[in-house]
Amino acid sequence: MTRLGIFGGTFDPIHNGHLFIAQAVAHEARLDRVLFLPVGDPAHRTAVAHAADRQVMVELAIAGNDAFALDDTALVQPGPVYTADTMPLLRAAYPNAALCFIAGADSLVDTPWRRFDEVLSHLETFYVALREGTDIRRLEPAFAGLPPDLARRCTVLNLPLVDVSSTVIRKRVRAGQPIRYLVPDAVLTYINRQGLYREAAGE
Ligand code: ATP
């Protein structure tokens, strides 16, 4: 059975932390492919760059890695998008695959997931990558109260921490500081060409 990783995010912009986590989880979990799902209209935040720009940056970043692909389900989905509403669409699109979700620990700690049990019900495994600045103990409330069969689907992976975030990238661009080696070169070129992230956007 094909094993698919589902990596949802705002990707505003995609950076090397995302790419490393996707690659490392794919290895640990023996995934055949990781699908990057940029979310067009995320429920819990407002994106700075347009969805079309974020999509292009993901495409540029993953080009050349045969195990990575973009899936536009959450881009075209009417918002506000909750993962619980995206999962049935993915299940229908990939009926024969084992689906595994990939998320950073901060995403579970900072905002409680709506209908997390429903998300888990579609998954074989929910992989959590630890993140610099997120205490592993703060993950407990996210898993508390889950039925045991769903709680068992959650696995925290101890991977090298890559301390880069889209927030830092946006701040550095705005401040005129280099982001080379924090994002793939093609993403850097796109950001510069399109003049993305130069204006303050409420941060
Ligand atoms: P922002 O700084 O704008 O909040 P971000 O860097 O967290 O953005 P997202 O697109 O929101 O990026 O993240 C998508 C997913 O990738 C989330 O599950 C997030 O936790 C995870 N993630 C992002 N960066 C890292 C990283 N450096 N290490 C581990 N997980 C990460």
Side-chain angles (χ1 to χ4, degrees):
M1 188 190 273
T2 304
R3 296 172 57 74
L4 285 183
I6 310 291
F7 194 20
T10 313
F11 300 121
D12 192 16
I14 190 166
H15 53 69
N16 288 346
H18 294 125
L19 295 164
F20 172 74
I21 290 302
Q23 188 66 40
V25 175
H27 173 79
E28 298 289 329
R30 290 167 285 102
L31 302 177
D32 296 293
R33 180 167 274 229
V34 176
L35 304 177
F36 287 71
L37 265 81
V39 180
D41 181 12
H44 59 291
R45 59 186 293 173
T46 306
V48 176
H50 290 128
D53 285 323
R54 293 184 285 114
Q55 171 179 1
V56 171
M57 290 190 281
V58 170
E59 283 167 347
L60 291 170
I62 66 178
N65 187 331
D66 291 342
F68 289 174
L70 180 131
D71 181 293
D72 70 357
T73 303
L75 264 176
V76 301
Q77 198 180 341
V81 170
Y82 291 94
T83 304
D85 298 322
T86 310
M87 287 313 304
L89 305 175
L90 291 172
R91 171 44 68 216
Y94 306 100
N96 300 317
L99 303 180
C100 299
F101 208 91
I102 302 170
D106 59 295
S107 69
L108 285 170
V109 166
D110 296 343
T111 15
W113 283 39
R114 252 206 219 185
R115 299 169 5 238
F116 190 45
D117 53 343
E118 273 181 52
V119 174
L120 292 173
S121 71
H122 294 280
L123 298 172
E124 182 217 77
T125 310
F126 187 96
Y127 289 102
V128 182
L130 292 180
R131 195 153 180 197
E132 189 69 43
T134 302
D135 186 336
I136 189 171
R137 284 167 300 188
R138 291 185 58 215
L139 277 172
E140 271 163 35
F143 302 140
L146 288 173
D149 64 313
L150 295 182
R152 273 196 294 274
R153 298 182 192 192
C154 303
T155 300
V156 179
L157 292 176
N158 191 9
L159 303 168
L161 302 184
V162 182
D163 190 11
V164 50
S165 67
S166 301
T167 302
V168 161
I169 306 281
R170 295 193 299 272
K171 282 192 179 149
R172 290 184 68 84
V173 172
R174 208 156 61 235
Q177 295 164 324
I179 57 165
R180 189 173 184 197
Y181 305 122
L182 296 179
V183 299
D185 286 345
V187 172
L188 170 66
T189 304
Y190 188 84
I191 289 173
N192 288 341
R193 259 202 213 131
Q194 304 298 123
L196 300 181
Y197 307 121
R198 288 191 194 157
E199 307 292 328
E203 297 181 288

